[in-house]
Amino acid sequence: MKLTDIYVYQVNLPLEHPYWLSGGRLKFETLDATFVKLVTDEGLVGWGEGTPWGHTYVPAHGPGLRAGLETMAPFILGVDPRKVLEVERAMDLALPGHLYAKSPIDMACWDIAGQAAGLSIADLMGGACTKAQPIASSVGTKTIEETRQSIEMYRARGYVAHSVKIGGNVTRDIARIRDVEAIRRPDEIILYDVNRGWSRQEALRVMHATQDLHVMFEQPCETLDDIAALRALHSAPVSVDESLVTLQDATRIARDGLAEVFGIKLNRVGGLTKAARMRDVALAHGIDIFVMATGGSVLADCEALHLAATIPEQACHAVWACQDMLTLDIADGRGPRNKDGYLHLPDAPGLGVHPDEACLGKPVAHYSLAQESGAP
Ligand code: MG
């Protein structure tokens, strides 16, 4: 089997509400999504998605993703997509770094490999040990009252996990944490996500002021060096996500004891193939995991669900359903959807959900083996 064609689509995915991060420093209203359709000489078709959370959140850029695909296409056409490590090596050789551009290709290759084997991606990765995952909400930076309203809205949809965005104003952050903890239900998972919004001394001020509550902070400061410095000064549990990009980051975090939780966002780390290694590092070191899409449609959520399914239940906290934050559904209701706060793994081989092509418009690029080989 070999890859013969790569079709690239661009879709703007509008957010239902404007979304603020980092104390109001970053605002998001639309996500620039890229979808890829890989076609093989044996008729199998695989789909991938790469949707960075805007271009101000982490170093990832919608137009950059599509430029990366153009650079890598000649190196992956003709390769057997079932050989995901071969595709990974070809992409890494063609374009070092730029992991967010590689992620949709990796996802589509796993989709094809699963269909070829008659197995879901999770089973092909070694076996799904869970079939459903609780969904985590994403509560943007807001006032105390707006935070309560947002959590209530997600509770009404069945959500039991919430990622509450803080950072940017220490006094307000402390007040919001205290208020959310006051209304927290016994079975709820709540993570306070700083998104790198604090300096070291700001992080210490909040950690000291809330230490009686024993809450967890995600990505409190900009770098792993910052987090290492904090760890020597305070014992608050920490989750790392934006600073977890490469396998080397994962091994450093594990070796130096920098976090209790890995936040693995698939588009940021380069897809399932690379994320699976981080999962194994985490499990080997007693580190728990949040698996998430970086953003995007039900396809990206479904990809995260497959990886989460390969993690023992007690080590995987939740997945995030970005689809619930969008006003455009490119799969017309198909694929895993929120059922009482859970996403359920599809039974179909491969990814288990494909987009409605009419929603994607015309391809913005098409790369083919025939063109590469000079055939007419
Ligand atoms: Mg985060």
Side-chain angles (χ1 to χ4, degrees):
M1 187 189 297
K2 55 187 177 187
L3 279 178
T4 58
D5 295 87
I6 303 170
Y7 294 90
V8 181
Y9 302 84
Q10 191 275 329
V11 180
N12 287 323
L13 300 175
L15 293 169
E16 186 179 7
H17 304 289
Y19 186 88
W20 298 91
L21 277 182
S22 233
R25 190 167 56 93
L26 305 177
K27 184 183 185 185
F28 305 88
E29 293 179 290
T30 300
L31 304 181
D32 178 346
T34 302
F35 295 89
V36 298
K37 179 169 81 168
L38 302 189
V39 179
T40 67
D41 60 343
E42 296 186 15
L44 286 177
V45 170
W47 284 91
E49 174 178 1
T51 305
W53 190 260
H55 56 265
T56 52
Y57 166 54
V58 292
H61 185 218
L65 192 160
R66 295 183 288 279
L69 292 174
E70 181 173 354
T71 300
M72 294 185 290
F75 293 81
I76 53 179
L77 285 165
V79 175
D80 185 337
R82 295 169 300 179
K83 299 180 179 176
V84 291
L85 296 181
E86 201 170 306
V87 175
E88 182 192 32
R89 283 192 290 269
M91 290 196 289
D92 286 345
L93 185 67
L95 186 67
H98 299 271
L99 297 167
Y100 64 100
K102 296 168 180 173
S103 170
I105 295 291
D106 177 79
M107 178 176 169
C109 286
W110 277 100
D111 185 18
I112 290 170
Q115 293 175 59
L119 295 171
S120 71
I121 290 176
D123 280 341
L124 191 62
M125 293 181 89
C129 52
T130 58
K131 293 288 184 190
Q133 291 288 337
I135 313 171
S137 74
S138 198
V139 179
T141 303
K142 297 193 174 126
T143 63
I144 284 179
E145 197 47 46
E146 286 169 338
T147 303
R148 280 188 175 225
Q149 287 169 3
S150 185
I151 290 175
E152 279 304 329
M153 178 191 78
Y154 283 112
R155 280 175 175 165
R157 298 179 183 179
Y159 284 46
V160 294
H162 308 281
S163 174
V164 177
K165 308 303 172 186
I166 56 172
N169 181 307
V170 165
T171 306
R172 187 181 61 187
D173 290 339
I174 293 167
R176 287 180 67 220
I177 292 167
R178 289 214 164 270
D179 191 70
V180 171
E181 289 300 307
I183 61 164
R184 179 185 195 143
R185 292 176 179 170
D187 57 347
E188 276 181 324
I189 301 165
I190 295 182
L191 184 71
Y192 294 93
D193 190 354
V194 190
N195 293 109
R196 321 187 301 278
W198 291 332
S199 66
R200 295 184 190 185
Q201 66 92 17
E202 287 174 324
L204 282 174
R205 282 173 61 197
V206 180
M207 288 175 171
H208 281 298
T210 58
Q211 63 188 7
D212 56 307
L213 302 172
H214 305 290
V215 300
M216 176 169 295
F217 298 98
E218 184 162 272
Q219 196 71 42
C221 295
E222 187 74 33
T223 67
L224 288 182
D225 286 336
D226 295 330
I227 292 169
L230 287 180
R231 299 288 275 185
L233 299 168
H234 202 278
S235 61
V238 166
S239 165
V240 170
D241 68 344
E242 285 106 305
S243 289
L244 174 58
V245 180
T246 67
L247 186 61
Q248 289 77 11
D249 294 332
T251 53
R252 179 187 169 190
I253 294 165
R255 181 191 63 225
D256 294 348
L258 301 186
E260 283 73 28
V261 174
F262 278 6
I264 300 178
K265 286 205 172 88
L266 285 162
N267 183 252
R268 186 187 64 233
V269 306
L272 290 163
T273 304
K274 293 180 189 295
R277 301 187 187 110
M278 294 179 174
R279 170 202 60 196
D280 294 340
V281 169
L283 293 177
H285 291 84
I287 294 170
D288 291 344
I289 304 169
F290 263 102
V291 183
M292 289 161 277
T294 306
S297 77
V298 65
L299 270 71
D301 289 340
C302 193
E303 180 192 28
L305 193 58
H306 282 287
L307 181 66
T310 67
I311 301 169
E313 191 175 353
Q314 67 274 14
C316 187
H317 287 201
V319 296
W320 169 51
C322 183
Q323 57 180 291
D324 279 358
M325 300 174 72
L326 306 174
T327 58
L328 177 65
D329 180 2
I330 55 90
D332 198 24
R334 295 190 302 273
R337 304 289 171 166
N338 174 17
K339 280 193 193 135
D340 298 326
Y342 282 76
L343 289 183
H344 294 259
L345 203 62
D347 284 330
L351 184 65
V353 57
H354 287 174
D356 177 354
E357 288 195 56
C359 293
L360 304 182
K362 287 197 167 66
V364 295
H366 172 212
Y367 310 103
S368 77
L369 194 59
Q371 288 165 357
E372 288 301 314
S373 62

